[in-house]
């Protein structure tokens, strides 16, 4: 038997993968990150499954639950919000399972940054605007390495998505404004894909105050960049004058 790290998606229970849902349906033990995973997703669990909310557990306790379940021959699903590869603290779990000789597998999920783009109906990578997306957070209890501070990153003026920082939004937007400028479009997406989802639009200069007025203090992402508004070049991919492996350019008639 194995431990499966499964991306639960951003909230909407239909935004889990087909494979993730199947594994939940077959699980004997499910350990879920209770602060962020939508409990609605647990409806896919079979009636006898044992459920543990990891919010109140230490790494050692999580590992002990996994080890005992695998020894009993049960399938374990470790449910992480969004995609497990981002701010999921899964590396330390995988390395410990490796040491214990317990097999594991990772099933990716729809990250909240993708859900937020869907909510605001914008594309992060617009030709002539930005071809880069920066996923980052501000230093808090977890330090951020040198060279990755918000003023450093803001110099690229790339599309940017800030995780986990809604309490420090005023400081974060002030730091970002150093490179982007105060007038750069910004949006806060609260609980993307949940029924209570909210979006606030503004600029780096005013988004922190707008978000405070709306009472948003957690489970939100800050999106920053000119991709949120304005003009861009159309893509070469669907341009009639441009050939690629799957399509010949159409000759212009003139
Ligand atoms: N692995 C997750 C991120 C975990 S860190 C993922 O791929 O999305 C938790 C942070 O993600 C939250 O503080 C918040 O900034 C963001 N987040 C998670 N779900 C969200 C959602 N539905 N809407 C907006 N932000 C979300």
């Amino acid at each position: 038997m194995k431990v499966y790290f499964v991306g639960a998606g951003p909230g909407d229970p239909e935004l889990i993968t087909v494979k993730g849902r199947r594994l939940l349906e077959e699980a004997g033990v499910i350990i879920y990150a209770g602060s962020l995973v939508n409990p609605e997703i647990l409806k896919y669990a079979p009636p006898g499954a044992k459920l543990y909310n990891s919010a109140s557990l230490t790494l050692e306790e999580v590992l002990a639950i996994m080890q005992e379940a695998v020894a009993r021959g049960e399938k374990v699903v470790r449910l992480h919000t969004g995609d497990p590869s981002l701010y999921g603290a899964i590396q330390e779990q995988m390395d410990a399972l490796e040491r214990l000789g317990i097999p594991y597998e990772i099933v990716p999920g729809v990250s909240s940054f993708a859900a937020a783009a869907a909510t605001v109906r914008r594309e992060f990578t617009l030709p002539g605007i930005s071809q880069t997306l920066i996923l980052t957070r501000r230093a808090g209890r977890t330090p951020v390495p040198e060279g990755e501070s918000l003023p450093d990153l803001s110099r690229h003026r790339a599309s940017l998505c800030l995780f986990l920082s809604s309490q420090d939004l005023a400081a974060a937007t002030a730091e970002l404004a150093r490179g982007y400028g105060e007038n750069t479009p910004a949006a806060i997406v609260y609980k993307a894909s949940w029924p209570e989802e909210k979006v606030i639009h503004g600029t780096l200069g005013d988004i922190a105050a707008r978000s405070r007025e709306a009472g948003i203090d957690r489970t939100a992402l800050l999106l920053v960049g000119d991709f949120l508004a304005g003009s861009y070049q159309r893509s070469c991919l669907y341009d009639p004058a441009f050939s690629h492996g799957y399509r010949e350019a159409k000759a212009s008639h003139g």
Side-chain angles (χ1 to χ4, degrees):
M1 276 299 155
K2 270 195 202 173
V3 174
Y4 294 88
F5 294 91
V6 174
D12 179 344
E14 288 192 314
L15 289 179
I16 190 169
T17 62
V18 173
K19 183 165 188 175
R21 177 180 169 166
R22 177 188 44 88
L23 289 166
L24 272 182
E25 288 166 350
E26 296 168 357
V29 168
I30 297 166
I31 309 169
Y32 63 99
S35 52
L36 283 165
V37 169
N38 187 346
E40 278 281 299
I41 283 181
L42 300 172
K43 72 183 177 201
Y44 300 133
K50 290 178 271 307
L51 305 178
Y52 298 89
N53 181 348
S54 61
S56 58
L57 301 172
T58 62
L59 171 62
E60 287 69 20
E61 288 167 333
V62 167
L63 290 168
I65 293 167
M66 289 175 171
Q67 199 172 11
E68 284 159 26
V70 170
R72 285 195 304 268
E74 288 177 335
K75 193 171 275 181
V76 179
V77 170
R78 176 71 169 106
L79 256 191
H80 283 274
T81 178
D83 181 76
S85 71
L86 290 167
Y87 311 109
I90 61 164
Q91 195 66 55
E92 58 199 28
Q93 299 175 62
M94 297 190 294
D95 290 346
L97 292 178
E98 201 92 44
R99 283 194 295 274
L100 293 166
I102 297 174
Y104 62 89
E105 191 178 317
I106 301 146
V107 180
V110 177
S111 178
S112 56
F113 79 81
T119 298
V120 299
R121 302 201 284 184
R122 300 297 298 178
E123 177 175 348
F124 286 122
T125 52
L126 290 174
I129 300 292
S130 178
Q131 291 292 292
T132 304
L133 172 61
I134 296 176
L135 305 177
T136 191
R137 64 179 300 183
R138 193 162 178 265
R141 261 193 304 181
T142 305
V144 166
E146 219 187 302
E148 294 185 12
S149 74
L150 295 184
D152 283 330
L153 295 177
S154 71
R155 282 205 296 271
H156 298 282
R157 306 198 87 249
S159 302
L160 180 141
C161 177
L162 189 73
F163 284 73
L164 288 162
S165 303
S166 38
Q167 285 101 336
D168 308 318
L169 206 56
T173 49
E175 288 179 9
L176 288 167
R178 290 206 230 157
Y180 285 97
E182 294 227 317
N183 294 325
T184 297
I188 287 280
V189 184
Y190 169 75
K191 288 210 154 181
S193 87
W194 292 63
E196 58 269 45
E197 163 187 289
K198 263 189 227 163
V199 187
I200 292 161
H201 286 281
T203 64
L204 272 179
D206 65 14
I207 196 81
R210 284 173 190 255
S211 157
R212 198 169 343 107
E213 278 160 31
I216 291 171
D217 66 347
R218 54 195 302 181
T219 325
L221 291 172
L222 172 68
L223 308 180
V224 179
D226 289 328
F227 79 91
L228 284 166
S231 56
Y232 53 90
Q233 293 161 11
R234 86 175 254 189
S235 77
C236 296
L237 189 60
Y238 298 106
D239 185 331
F242 183 85
S243 323
H244 56 67
Y246 300 98
R247 182 168 50 70
E248 284 293 314
K250 294 196 170 55
S252 56
H253 303 279

